[in-house]
Amino acid sequence: MAMCSEDRISSLPDHILCHILSFLPLKEAVRTSIISTKWRYLFASISTIEFDDSLLSGLTDRNVDSFKNFVDRLLKFPDQVSLDCFRLRDGISWNDEDHDFDVSGWICAALCRGVKEIDLFLDYFGCVLTVPAVLFTCHSLVTLKLNAECRKIDVPSDVCLGNLKTLQLRNTVVDGDSIHRLISNCHVLEDLAFIECHLAYASALNIKTPSLKRLVLDLDVVEYGDFNNVVVINAPNLEKADISIYLFGFSDRETSATHLIQGIIQGICTVRSLNLTINDVIFRTCRLPIFHNLIKFEYGVLGSNGRETWLVEFLHCAPNLNTLTLNFLVVVETQWKVLHMEVPSCLSLHLKEIKILNFKGDAQMFEMISYFLDNAMVLEKLMIGMKSLSETQQSIVFNQLLQLPKSSKKCQVLIF
């Protein structure tokens, strides 16, 4: 039987081939130019361009100019298709003495091609992160991701990102005025994320975005001089929030954290889904609003006695909660057996699923599980993560869990 030698891939339309090439590393996409004359210049029309350290491997003084010329041609050829995504990854010394790369020019070229997503690792801009001002007035941008490597981003006075829906700032020192100027000029912003960011110099972080639906606040808050850090959130359409707050250098954490946390907790009370991670009971002195819309809550804490009291108080403020996930990373004394508090209505009426992560088989965890099994009247599923236990220990603990009385006859106990 004769083998078919037809090249079916090459017979595909050019726009489909370019879409396929967009999933390859740039170096691999360029190598396809030797396949045939049809493929020779296809790589120049790919819609996703990503620069990483693999492009510089083997680069010498002799061929660095050729590389720069190649990048210029790739980005600045006339009549090229618009870009879906332009990325500059970490691991590259773009600004060293040997390679005088025109990174700002590359960014501007991508913007001129109507790029929709830009993802920049800003280490190569030196100590002062002054990226091209045109980045902040690009009407084609839908997604902007900036990693500032523990420095502030210099946002110009003229900002207009009318189509930006996703903004992600990672490893950034938050300057309240600069960040507020950026956020307030993104009028259709739906996703906002501060990931591993540092709130040290900003007296206030003001998030006023009516269109915002999803918010991530992962902040290291450092006491600095006389600054009183305040986070204010005004996002009436917010649906999902992921909040992680870590305090450093505060002599009185509870008092210092009150005004910081109050603005956050009041500003997220409309959410349907909340992931809350804290390294202390910094919510203890805060006034809790009612979370009428909350149906999914994940709570992670590193320690502190009294966490069960605060958790029950929170559950009282989430009357329609359906799913609860708990992740207690540190074993501490608890008072679940003698907890003299009214049972939250969500336990009696709505809570159907509880997931407990990082279960170590300690007595305190058994007390907590027993409390929920006693009071969760409509519970359907209790899932417990026991990855830190051996198979023998898991079997023993599972049998012990099955002996605990349950108020809900539908409740299944599962381990993972």
Side-chain angles (χ1 to χ4, degrees):
M1 181 177 178
M3 295 183 63
C4 179
S5 59
E6 181 183 358
D7 183 359
R8 294 186 177 181
I9 294 180
S10 294
S11 64
L12 294 172
D14 286 359
H15 71 278
I16 294 180
L17 294 176
C18 290
H19 181 69
I20 294 172
L21 290 181
S22 294
F23 291 96
L24 296 177
L26 184 57
K27 184 178 289 188
E28 300 301 321
V30 173
R31 285 174 177 168
T32 63
S33 62
I34 65 173
I35 294 176
S36 68
T37 54
K38 177 181 175 67
W39 289 81
R40 187 171 182 181
Y41 297 112
L42 277 178
F43 72 88
S45 297
I46 58 177
S47 59
T48 296
I49 295 179
E50 178 176 335
F51 293 132
D52 58 22
D53 54 354
S54 67
L55 290 174
L56 298 185
S57 59
L59 197 64
T60 64
D61 293 340
R62 182 176 301 178
N63 56 21
V64 66
D65 287 336
S66 297
F67 174 76
K68 289 193 288 186
N69 290 334
F70 161 74
V71 175
D72 286 340
R73 293 197 306 272
L74 180 64
L75 287 170
K76 301 175 184 178
F77 264 168
D79 302 324
Q80 286 180 314
V81 297
S82 61
L83 281 179
D84 289 331
C85 182
F86 178 71
R87 294 191 185 98
L88 291 176
R89 294 295 194 187
D90 60 336
I92 306 176
S93 299
W94 297 103
N95 211 28
D96 60 27
E97 296 178 355
D98 297 326
H99 305 146
D100 185 21
F101 295 126
D102 183 18
V103 179
S104 293
W106 297 349
I107 295 172
C108 291
L111 296 172
C112 288
R113 288 179 55 180
V115 66
K116 296 177 183 177
E117 177 180 344
I118 281 190
D119 185 352
L120 302 178
F121 183 85
L122 298 175
D123 186 39
Y124 42 79
F125 279 93
C127 296
V128 179
L129 298 181
T130 307
V131 296
V134 68
L135 176 66
F136 299 100
T137 56
C138 179
H139 294 290
S140 65
L141 267 185
V142 177
T143 299
L144 177 60
K145 300 178 181 180
L146 302 175
N147 185 331
E149 277 296 276
C150 299
R151 283 161 293 176
K152 292 190 290 185
I153 298 173
D154 185 15
V155 178
S157 57
D158 185 16
V159 178
C160 183
L161 294 168
N163 291 305
L164 194 74
K165 291 187 176 182
T166 299
L167 175 62
Q168 181 187 103
L169 303 177
R170 182 182 293 272
N171 210 1
T172 301
V173 174
V174 176
D175 181 319
D177 293 337
S178 189
I179 297 301
H180 175 66
R181 186 161 60 251
L182 174 58
I183 295 173
S184 61
N185 287 284
C186 302
H187 300 299
V188 297
L189 190 66
E190 296 182 356
D191 292 86
L192 175 62
F194 295 85
I195 302 174
E196 298 177 0
C197 289
H198 311 275
L199 190 61
Y201 306 103
S203 58
L205 174 59
N206 193 342
I207 301 172
K208 185 178 181 180
T209 313
S211 59
L212 196 65
K213 295 181 179 180
R214 290 164 290 274
L215 173 66
V216 176
L217 276 183
D218 180 1
L219 298 177
D220 292 340
V221 184
V222 182
E223 189 172 43
Y224 183 79
D226 296 326
F227 276 116
N228 292 317
N229 303 102
V230 176
V231 177
V232 178
I233 301 172
N234 186 350
N237 294 304
L238 194 65
E239 298 176 356
K240 182 177 182 180
D242 189 334
I243 310 295
S244 301
I245 305 293
Y246 302 92
L247 301 180
F248 298 95
F250 287 88
S251 54
D252 185 350
R253 288 190 174 187
E254 284 192 13
T255 302
S256 301
T258 300
H259 59 276
L260 169 67
I261 300 303
Q262 195 67 60
I264 296 177
I265 205 73
Q266 293 291 337
I268 62 175
C269 64
T270 63
V271 297
R272 293 173 56 84
S273 175
L274 174 61
N275 187 333
L276 177 65
T277 302
I278 53 179
N279 68 342
D280 209 341
V281 186
I282 57 179
F283 280 79
R284 184 176 293 168
T285 58
C286 291
R287 300 183 305 276
L288 291 173
I290 302 299
F291 291 79
H292 291 286
N293 302 325
L294 191 65
I295 59 174
K296 184 178 181 180
F297 179 46
E298 181 169 342
Y299 180 47
V301 66
L302 294 176
S304 293
N305 296 324
R307 64 191 182 189
E308 66 278 9
T309 301
W310 185 89
L311 176 57
V312 173
E313 288 177 354
F314 184 91
L315 293 178
H316 274 291
C317 296
N320 298 304
L321 192 68
N322 182 275
T323 301
L324 174 65
T325 300
L326 300 173
N327 187 13
F328 295 139
L329 300 177
V330 175
V331 176
V332 295
E333 292 297 322
T334 59
Q335 303 294 323
W336 289 102
K337 285 185 176 180
V338 292
L339 193 62
H340 301 297
M341 298 178 68
E342 183 181 351
V343 176
S345 61
C346 66
L347 292 184
S348 303
L349 301 174
H350 297 292
L351 194 65
K352 294 184 178 181
E353 182 177 306
I354 298 175
K355 181 184 293 185
I356 298 174
L357 308 177
N358 202 41
F359 182 82
K360 297 181 174 65
D362 53 278
Q364 291 82 4
M365 282 290 189
F366 270 103
E367 288 181 12
M368 180 181 69
I369 291 172
S370 180
Y371 171 85
F372 284 117
L373 289 177
D374 279 343
N375 295 290
M377 306 296 292
V378 295
L379 191 65
E380 296 178 358
K381 190 180 296 183
L382 173 64
M383 297 178 288
I384 303 176
M386 301 185 184
K387 292 182 179 179
S388 62
L389 303 181
S390 67
E391 290 187 6
T392 301
Q393 290 173 319
Q394 289 183 21
S395 179
I396 294 173
V397 169
F398 183 64
N399 287 328
Q400 291 174 327
L401 291 171
L402 292 178
Q403 303 305 313
L404 295 176
K406 300 188 292 288
S407 293
S408 173
K409 294 181 180 181
K410 295 182 178 180
C411 181
Q412 292 181 302
V413 179
L414 308 171
I415 63 173
F416 63 95

